Amino acid sequence: MGKNWFRKSSDDKGKEAPSRQNSHGGSTDTNGSADNKRSRSGRSKKSSSSSSATPAQKSERSANGARGMGEIATGVMVGGGSARASKGGMDKSAAKSAAAAGRANGPGAISVGGGMATFRVPVPGNVRPGEEFQVFAGGRIVRVKCPRDSRPGQSLQITVPVDQNEAAGVEGGGVKLPDLPPDSDNVTKIPNQQLAPGEQPAYMVKIPEGIRGGQQFPVTINGQQLTVTCPNMARPGMSVRIVPPPPPENGATSLDRPRQAPQRVANPNKQSDKTQMFEVVVPKGVKAGQPFALLAGGVRVLVTCPKNATNGQKIRFNLPVGLVNRPDGPKSKLAEIKLSYDKDGWTRTIRATDMKFQWTRFDESGNVDERTRFDTERSAYVLKLDFLDDNDRMRQGHVSLVTPEKGVVDSKIKGANGAELVSYTDIANAQNKSYEDKIQWFQDTCAQLCVEWNEGHMRMNVRREYLLSDSMEAVMSLTRKDLRKVWRFEFIGEAGIDAGGLAREWFELVTEEVFDPDMGLWSTSATNQMCMQINPASEISCPDDHLIYFRFIGRVMGKAMFDRQLVKSHMARHLYKHILGWPVTFEDLKYVDKQYYNSLNGLKDMGSDVEYVGLEFTVLEETLGVKQEVELVSNGADMDVVEDNLPEYMEACLKYRLLGRYEAQLKELLLGFFDVIPQPLLTIFDFQELELLMCGASQH
């Protein structure tokens, strides 16, 4: 991934063919959509046959298949404030507007600005093809021309500009809304109804001629375009009683705005960032420049002894008031200068110098354990991700395994406007919540980070038969801001409006296919067949774009968490630790390859006889029958394993199996994941909670 990855859309190369709009507002290719109407078993067979090809071959087929895809013009506004819902031929002005709007029915991601709104409206019963009818949409009455191949009762999709005055909430002296459209001639309101507060009045609707039991017909009631189903025993001329739903703000049903658009509100849990000075005695055994830990109101704080301080001397440091005075309780012991120490081993602490999170291990006396030589029982490493640039589309970075005290994580999160959204105090308080409360806090914070609806959203158009390649092309074309917008999905050639179901299906299908071992990017764990681990030989299966797909996977996983969706497959547990920046230990090898773990563990009991095993600082990798020797350290082939250097050998094996084999792939996955989710936001979870949040209940 040495350079930015962009591909020119294949639509730019081919001619544009006319498209027609189906009755549900979906788009249909002029070449037909029979393939898209096949049974689920047929789709599974198609998907299975295509999964054996490499991502590069799939992308090529995806690009070729996109050529000739027609353009769709839905609800193109024409002069006089009217709307035209095109299904067949378009006039020149409508076609020109559609071309300027972009290829809305081809595969890819389309940015939809906040200046347009899309609505779904039914064709009234008395309207014929070619005739115009009025609908109340977008805060105004617009005229819609009925397409030639439509009929009463069908739904059309129209797009109208958002009135800027109405969008700004102008009332009184602002824009005056027109009157609602009149009720249909066959509708009569039942008089003298006694309604409870919030109850809707009932109406009598006369069944039109030609309508039989079970058929539907449209009516207009109180400005709403409704569809009524004729009872089985009813016949034309009879009246049925209906209670319409409460009228929305607009007469047409909006296809764009979600039911509950995320709103950016003040964080109710945000604590004051004011600090308070404290005084503490340097503990016995702590040297100048050495860190020591304190338990502050349930949060571990790491304090570094000043260079000019000695044992027994008093030192001062500042802590945020929010850390000391808990929002749901009295002052902590730290506020009363009654300091205690923690002896739990590896602990996430906060550095008093810069308020960043850091891992610390304590010895038997409660002091910071500063042992440097590798120990299979106590030593650990943390994956550290360093960003090399701030490119909005394709950031570059570097990953490495470092000792835990070097794997620091920021404790602040900034919003889109650059202002601080979450502070270290908020995160520290959230770490002590229950799992359910953690999820709620995480989701509320993601809602704060979500790009507001009026700033635009994304239309994700994909073809089911080329799902993975189309999805990769779409997701990889987005900026980090686009990744935090609301996504609306469309399977090209299929009827359906994304009210949540299509999004769930997309995440399920994409993650299921991308984690399929036949794809060559992932392989099953040698210890647990239900868990997936990165395939070190993914480059052989996908030589041209395997790293692109890992960046794509990371973005999809991050977006799934951001949008409260689930990832289909579970990963080996050390990968969740890497995402969190949690310490990985020698024991984690047992969950990667138990036989390998047992073999290394057996070397510790051999003593000086280990040199007769004939080991070197190398490992033998076999790919497609070809064996290759890999050096674990520099000049490892010339270094024999003996009792004196056995800890270093086991340390090198740990680093290689948990990172070195797939460093490039894991780097891309993490870069993609953190394009969506801020790294500090995950510090409230442990690796088991992260797996449960990301994938649901585990089956292993």
Side-chain angles (χ1 to χ4, degrees):
M1 300 292 294
K3 59 182 180 180
N4 291 347
W5 177 83
F6 302 102
R7 295 188 181 182
K8 185 176 181 181
S9 173
S10 56
D11 290 339
D12 296 336
K13 303 176 183 178
K15 295 183 178 180
E16 298 163 0
S19 293
R20 56 190 178 88
Q21 179 187 1
N22 60 33
S23 61
H24 298 282
S27 58
T28 306
D29 189 3
T30 54
N31 296 328
S33 59
D35 290 340
N36 295 321
K37 298 179 181 179
R38 59 187 179 274
S39 65
R40 176 167 289 276
S41 61
R43 287 196 295 266
S44 299
K45 181 178 180 181
K46 177 77 174 180
S47 176
S48 177
S49 63
S50 64
S51 66
S52 60
T54 65
Q57 293 170 336
K58 290 185 178 183
S59 298
E60 182 64 25
R61 286 206 303 265
S62 170
N64 293 335
R67 297 189 179 99
M69 294 290 290
E71 294 191 7
I72 186 169
T74 57
V76 179
M77 292 297 297
V78 295
S82 63
R84 184 178 304 275
S86 303
K87 293 185 69 175
M90 298 182 291
D91 58 28
K92 293 182 179 179
S93 61
K96 185 176 181 180
S97 300
R103 297 163 176 79
N105 74 326
I110 302 170
S111 179
V112 182
M116 301 294 290
T118 305
F119 298 90
R120 183 186 182 192
V121 297
V123 178
N126 57 349
V127 174
R128 298 180 179 180
E131 296 181 347
E132 292 186 351
F133 62 94
Q134 291 183 338
V135 62
F136 189 68
R140 76 199 75 177
I141 291 181
V142 296
R143 296 195 310 274
V144 181
K145 186 173 182 179
C146 180
R148 296 179 181 179
D149 56 348
S150 67
R151 62 181 184 275
Q154 285 187 328
S155 295
L156 304 177
Q157 181 174 307
I158 66 172
T159 303
V160 299
V162 175
D163 188 290
Q164 297 301 321
N165 292 325
E166 293 166 8
V170 177
E171 298 180 359
V175 178
K176 182 180 179 180
L177 298 179
D179 296 332
L180 295 174
D183 292 346
S184 300
D185 296 335
N186 59 337
V187 173
T188 303
K189 185 177 182 179
I190 300 177
N192 303 323
Q193 300 184 58
Q194 295 182 356
L195 304 176
E199 185 179 0
Q200 297 299 313
Y203 293 79
M204 299 301 296
V205 179
K206 187 176 182 180
I207 300 175
E209 293 293 331
I211 299 298
R212 299 180 180 179
Q215 293 183 337
Q216 294 182 333
F217 60 93
V219 295
T220 301
I221 299 178
N222 197 24
Q224 297 186 84
Q225 300 284 345
L226 304 175
T227 300
V228 180
T229 300
C230 178
N232 291 330
M233 302 300 294
R235 62 181 183 273
M238 296 179 63
S239 294
V240 295
R241 180 180 180 275
I242 68 169
V243 179
E249 296 180 359
N250 297 325
T253 302
S254 174
L255 304 184
D256 287 328
R257 187 173 297 277
R259 294 180 181 178
Q260 294 182 346
Q263 298 180 355
R264 191 164 291 127
V265 296
N267 188 349
N269 298 320
K270 191 170 182 63
Q271 304 296 315
S272 171
D273 288 340
K274 295 181 180 179
T275 60
Q276 181 175 347
M277 181 176 293
F278 293 92
E279 189 175 82
V280 63
V281 176
V282 178
K284 184 178 180 180
V286 175
K287 301 178 181 179
Q290 182 179 349
F292 61 97
L294 308 173
L295 187 62
V299 180
R300 282 88 178 177
V301 179
L302 199 66
V303 180
T304 301
C305 179
K307 295 182 179 180
N308 57 351
T310 59
N311 295 341
Q313 185 176 348
K314 294 182 179 180
I315 61 173
R316 295 178 179 180
F317 59 93
N318 292 313
L319 285 179
V321 174
L323 281 179
V324 179
N325 301 318
R326 303 298 301 276
D328 53 355
K331 290 186 177 182
S332 69
K333 292 183 179 180
L334 180 60
E336 302 172 2
I337 317 298
K338 295 180 181 179
L339 306 178
S340 61
Y341 300 95
D342 186 71
K343 303 179 182 180
D344 295 336
W346 286 113
T347 307
R348 174 158 263 162
T349 58
I350 298 178
R351 297 195 309 199
T353 53
D354 55 8
M355 289 299 150
K356 289 189 177 182
F357 293 114
Q358 173 185 318
W359 289 102
T360 306
R361 185 175 183 88
F362 303 98
D363 58 23
E364 294 77 5
S365 302
N367 298 321
V368 176
D369 191 345
E370 294 188 314
R371 304 180 193 181
T372 57
R373 194 173 190 192
F374 183 78
D375 186 301
T376 57
E377 302 296 331
R378 302 183 62 85
S379 298
Y381 284 92
V382 169
L383 188 137
K384 182 181 180 183
L385 173 63
D386 295 310
F387 295 101
L388 303 181
D389 58 57
D390 196 36
N391 188 291
D392 191 45
R393 194 179 299 271
M394 289 286 288
R395 286 189 293 183
Q396 302 301 316
H398 175 263
V399 293
S400 58
L401 283 179
V402 298
T403 50
E405 69 274 7
K406 298 179 181 177
V408 297
V409 177
D410 204 349
S411 60
K412 297 181 181 180
I413 301 174
K414 294 183 178 180
N417 58 357
E420 184 177 299
L421 183 65
V422 175
S423 71
Y424 40 73
T425 306
D426 302 319
I427 297 177
N429 289 328
Q431 288 176 347
N432 295 320
K433 295 178 181 290
S434 66
Y435 174 65
E436 291 75 14
D437 291 339
K438 285 182 181 181
I439 293 178
Q440 187 62 52
W441 183 87
F442 175 83
Q443 293 174 344
D444 291 344
T445 306
C446 286
Q448 303 281 328
L449 293 169
C450 183
V451 177
E452 293 188 13
W453 183 263
N454 57 14
E455 295 183 29
H457 61 283
M458 302 305 302
R459 292 280 181 83
M460 310 296 286
N461 300 332
V462 296
R463 294 167 295 175
R464 193 178 291 273
E465 60 268 37
Y466 302 113
L467 175 66
L468 194 57
S469 55
D470 280 0
S471 299
M472 186 268 287
E473 295 273 358
V475 173
M476 291 305 298
S477 68
L478 303 180
T479 64
R480 276 182 282 160
K481 182 178 181 179
D482 293 335
L483 293 171
R484 293 182 181 177
K485 291 180 179 179
V486 176
W487 288 7
R488 287 291 179 261
F489 292 90
E490 177 183 337
F491 289 97
I492 297 174
E494 300 181 18
I497 298 173
D498 187 7
L502 292 182
R504 286 192 297 271
E505 183 182 13
W506 182 85
F507 278 103
E508 178 179 345
L509 293 177
V510 166
T511 55
E512 183 178 24
E513 185 170 351
V514 81
F515 279 99
D516 188 345
D518 292 338
M519 187 72 183
L521 300 174
W522 295 80
S523 59
T524 56
S525 171
T527 301
N528 189 336
Q529 295 295 311
M530 300 300 296
C531 294
M532 307 303 296
Q533 59 186 14
I534 296 174
N535 181 10
S538 61
E539 184 177 7
I540 295 178
S541 301
C542 314
D544 296 330
D545 46 16
H546 73 120
L547 295 181
I548 297 170
Y549 268 93
F550 277 103
R551 179 78 68 108
F552 163 72
I553 295 169
R555 288 186 168 191
V556 171
M557 292 169 60
K559 184 62 174 175
M561 287 188 62
F562 196 80
D563 287 354
R564 309 182 186 187
Q565 302 290 344
L566 293 178
V567 174
K568 187 66 175 178
S569 297
H570 294 261
M571 300 184 298
R573 80 170 194 171
H574 72 282
L575 294 177
Y576 294 107
K577 289 187 174 184
H578 283 333
I579 293 175
L580 292 175
W582 265 56
V584 291
T585 64
F586 185 76
E587 186 183 7
D588 285 304
L589 285 177
K590 179 168 60 176
Y591 299 93
V592 177
D593 190 332
K594 190 172 183 178
Q595 183 177 357
Y596 183 75
Y597 167 81
N598 290 335
S599 298
L600 288 178
N601 228 7
L603 297 177
K604 296 189 300 181
D605 301 328
M606 298 183 66
S608 59
D609 292 338
V610 70
E611 62 181 289
Y612 300 112
V613 179
L615 295 176
E616 300 169 345
F617 277 70
T618 60
V619 64
L620 193 63
E621 290 282 7
E622 181 176 352
T623 305
L624 298 179
V626 179
K627 297 182 179 180
Q628 180 182 5
E629 186 179 72
V630 179
E631 292 187 333
L632 298 176
V633 296
S634 180
N635 300 320
D638 300 327
M639 297 176 59
D640 295 328
V641 178
V642 295
E643 184 179 11
D644 290 342
N645 62 13
L646 181 60
E648 286 70 30
Y649 172 75
M650 302 183 76
E651 178 185 26
C653 291
L654 170 71
K655 290 184 176 181
Y656 180 73
R657 291 302 295 262
L658 297 186
L659 177 62
R661 297 184 77 197
Y662 35 75
E663 179 179 332
Q665 295 94 321
L666 183 57
K667 179 189 70 174
E668 294 302 324
L669 185 146
L670 293 177
L671 286 172
F673 187 90
F674 292 126
D675 278 343
V676 187
I677 303 293
Q679 198 171 6
L681 195 57
L682 298 176
T683 56
I684 66 173
F685 298 111
D686 62 33
F687 64 92
Q688 294 167 321
E689 292 172 335
L690 178 64
E691 180 181 12
L692 185 59
L693 176 61
M694 187 180 296
C695 308
S698 175
Q699 299 179 359
H700 60 276

